[in-house]
């Protein structure tokens, strides 16, 4: 099986995981505690991706090289991001088209109700100006930006994990 097929199979759990993170953000205005789950999920993501990359390396030892594992990790993240992007775009397009505006408006209200509101008055003014000038991204631009940033960060994470997993090969060969 090619590295692309392994990555496509790994992309499904990555997509589900990324969709959970996205759901915590998208439903944060309706369920206030959901943003608290984003940070632990983000911490767990490298472990999921590392496990999936290690599984590829175990099944095909010849793939336990930095370049091959990095490629597999990149494609797993890309395939997973496509799944997450589709679900997020459907939600924003059909269920909550005003999400970005609502999210920024909620952020302004939260800042203004905090005891430190005076310290952030310039930020609130800037956010209000962005709303009034219609400078906020629409839902699809928001989802697209998240997708690009996820792919970029996933690429860097995959490189880091590939270096660790390829080093394991050398350690296994030395210890044998």
């Amino acid at each position: 099986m090619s590295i692309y097929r392994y990555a496509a199979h790994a992309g499904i759990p990555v997509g589900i995981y990324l969709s959970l993170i996205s759901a915590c953000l998208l439903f944060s205005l309706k369920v206030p505690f959901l943003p608290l789950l984003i940070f632990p999920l983000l911490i767990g993501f490298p472990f999921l991706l590392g496990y999936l990359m290690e599984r590829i390396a175990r099944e095909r030892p010849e793939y336990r090289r930095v370049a091959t594992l990095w490629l597999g990790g990149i494609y797993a993240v890309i395939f997973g991001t496509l799944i997450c992007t589709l679900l997020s775009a459907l939600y924003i397009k059909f269920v909550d088209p005003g999400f970005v505006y609502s999210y920024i408006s909620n952020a302004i209200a939260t800042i203004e109700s905090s005891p430190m509101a005076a310290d952030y008055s310039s930020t609130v003014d800037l956010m209000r100006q962005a709303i009034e000038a219609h400078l906020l991204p629409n839902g699809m631009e928001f989802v697209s930006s998240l997708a690009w940033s996820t792919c970029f960060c996933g690429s860097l994470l995959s490189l880091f994990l590939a270096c660790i997993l390829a080093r394991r090969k050398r350690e296994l060969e030395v210890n044998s």
Side-chain angles (χ1 to χ4, degrees), residues 88-115:
S88 299
L90 289 172
Y91 176 80
I92 284 184
K93 184 74 174 167
F94 297 110
V95 177
D96 193 0
F99 172 77
V100 176
Y101 173 80
S102 299
Y103 194 82
I104 298 299
S105 297
N106 186 51
I108 290 170
T110 302
I111 292 170
E112 290 178 335
S113 68
S114 79

Side-chain angles (χ1 to χ4, degrees), residues 54 57-58 61 64 165-176:
E54 172 64 28
R58 256 186 285 117
R64 193 180 285 274
L165 294 172
R167 174 177 238 144
R168 269 194 179 160
K169 175 184 180 184
R170 286 185 291 240
E171 290 172 359
L172 291 173
E173 289 172 352
V174 169
N175 292 335
S176 297

Side-chain angles (χ1 to χ4, degrees), residues 151-164:
C151 288
F152 175 74
C153 292
S155 173
L156 295 178
L157 178 61
S158 295
L159 175 60
F160 176 72
L161 293 171
C163 290
I164 291 173

